[in-house]
Amino acid sequence: MSPRRFGFIGLGNMGAPMAANVAGAGFDLIVYDKAGTEARAPGGSSAAASLAEVAAVAETVFLSLPDGAATLAVARQIAALANRATKVVVDLSTIGIAAAKEAHAILAGAGVSYADAPVSGGRAGARAATIAVMWAGPAELLESHRGVLDAMAGNVFHLGDDPGQGQAMKLLNNYLSATALAATSEAMVFGLAQGLSLEVMLAVVNVSTGRNTATSDKFPNRIVTGTYDAGFSAALLAKDLRLYLESARAAGAPSVVGGAVAGLWQSADRAMPGGDITHIYDFVRGIAGAGEGGGEAPPP
Ligand code: NAD
């Protein structure tokens, strides 16, 4: 049976627009963010004073939290609550494979189902309800949540039943996306040094084989415009790449390119704390300006 009341924990760049779409579609929604709920609660939702207040009434609780530590802290709190309506936790966060398995185990011990369901598409996709959801968990749980997921996403994929499979999919996607943005930044710096303009290079690449999400979206819409507003912090992407690399190495998968890309993003994150991912272009230009652009990624 589909749940009647939903909760949402974490109303940041992704959580706030996803929760807004759920409330906007008419679902009964109660929300909470530890940094302050009133200012972040979307219209049509009710603002809770605590996580416990959400779990006391919401049968399904969505999480959009920064990392594994945050999800595990919330999972432990939910599991420990005596007054709990929550039967299902749908985790939309990117937390890595090990943390997803641990969150599942903590909640299973308290009789709460867990879906490992990270998302992709950025803040713009969250606002437009076009994001992809990468669901790992029971198929019947997905079906009973189809309506509410359709309110926030354009594509919902059932990847498997095991917690961690959603994370594996999400991490490999973000590795590809991060590689495209970092490599495009380097390629643009090279082209500028040859007297080519950014606009011309993007126009050519976007009808040629180098096309990617950086050339088709982030460069023309957020870097050339000077807005630098992907709404995704370099710190969170650096976390994703750390998790990807750890998992790839543990699986014995090749990670030559992965190691270089992860190293570059760790250095960029350290150099621009709190910066949007699109500032990687400035970071790469800075390396070139300092005469260090010889092709070696800075050490992780
Ligand atoms: P964010 O930092 O903007 O938002 C996270 C929110 O969680 C913050 O408002 C914070 O106050 C809140 N929070 C943290 N711990 C909490 C707790 N214990 N209880 C209640 N609230 C808590 O992050 P974001 O960019 O919205 O990303 C959220 C998740 O989605 C991350 O795992 C990220 O990797 C992933 N993601 C982000 C994007 C993106 O483009 N921003 C895209 C896809 C996936």
Side-chain angles (χ1 to χ4, degrees):
M1 229 179 56
S2 298
R4 282 174 295 120
R5 193 147 197 210
F6 296 90
F8 214 108
I9 309 293
L11 304 168
N13 279 318
M14 294 300 282
M18 290 191 286
N21 286 329
V22 171
F27 292 97
D28 190 348
L29 184 68
I30 180 166
V31 300
Y32 172 70
D33 190 298
K34 75 169 186 185
T37 307
E38 292 287 349
R40 293 174 173 79
S45 69
S46 45
S50 65
L51 170 62
E53 206 176 292
V54 173
V57 295
E59 294 152 76
T60 290
V61 173
F62 291 100
L63 311 182
S64 181
L65 297 170
D67 53 25
T71 281
L72 291 174
V74 166
R76 284 191 195 99
Q77 272 179 277
I78 291 175
L81 288 169
N83 174 27
R84 188 180 63 224
T86 302
K87 305 269 184 297
V88 177
V89 168
V90 177
D91 193 356
L92 306 163
S93 328
T94 308
I95 62 172
I97 295 169
K101 288 181 192 297
E102 195 175 341
H104 172 261
I106 291 166
L107 290 164
V112 176
S113 300
Y114 175 79
D116 162 28
V119 300
S120 183
R123 185 174 57 186
R127 286 177 177 156
T130 55
I131 51 171
V133 174
M134 307 171 197
W135 179 286
E140 58 276 15
L141 203 58
L142 169 54
E143 286 318 315
S144 62
H145 288 76
R146 182 70 72 178
V148 67
L149 290 169
D150 283 347
M152 65 170 102
N155 293 284
V156 180
F157 295 95
H158 184 223
L159 300 171
D161 293 344
D162 298 338
Q165 289 179 308
Q167 294 298 319
M169 185 68 232
K170 170 65 180 167
L171 293 180
L172 77 85
N173 174 79
N174 277 26
Y175 162 52
L176 292 173
S177 174
T179 302
L181 183 51
T184 300
S185 297
E186 289 188 353
M188 293 296 124
V189 171
F190 163 70
L192 286 171
Q194 308 306 310
L196 303 174
S197 77
L198 271 183
E199 288 76 7
V200 165
M201 287 189 278
L202 293 171
V204 173
V205 171
N206 279 331
V207 293
S208 303
T209 53
R211 186 170 196 268
N212 62 64
T213 50
T215 63
S216 63
D217 174 33
K218 295 181 190 91
F219 263 83
N221 297 331
R222 311 190 185 286
I223 294 176
V224 173
T225 55
T227 49
Y228 292 87
D229 59 348
F232 188 20
S233 72
L236 289 184
L237 186 56
K239 165 211 64 174
D240 295 351
L241 290 162
R242 252 192 321 272
L243 291 168
Y244 171 75
L245 201 56
E246 278 168 23
S247 303
R249 286 180 174 158
S255 52
V256 179
V257 177
V261 172
L264 180 65
W265 278 99
Q266 309 305 335
S267 301
D269 174 36
R270 276 197 295 271
M272 48 184 210
D276 191 87
I277 54 168
T278 44
H279 283 296
I280 185 80
Y281 175 56
D282 297 332
F283 177 73
V284 167
R285 272 198 304 186
I287 296 174
E292 294 167 12
E296 290 291 316

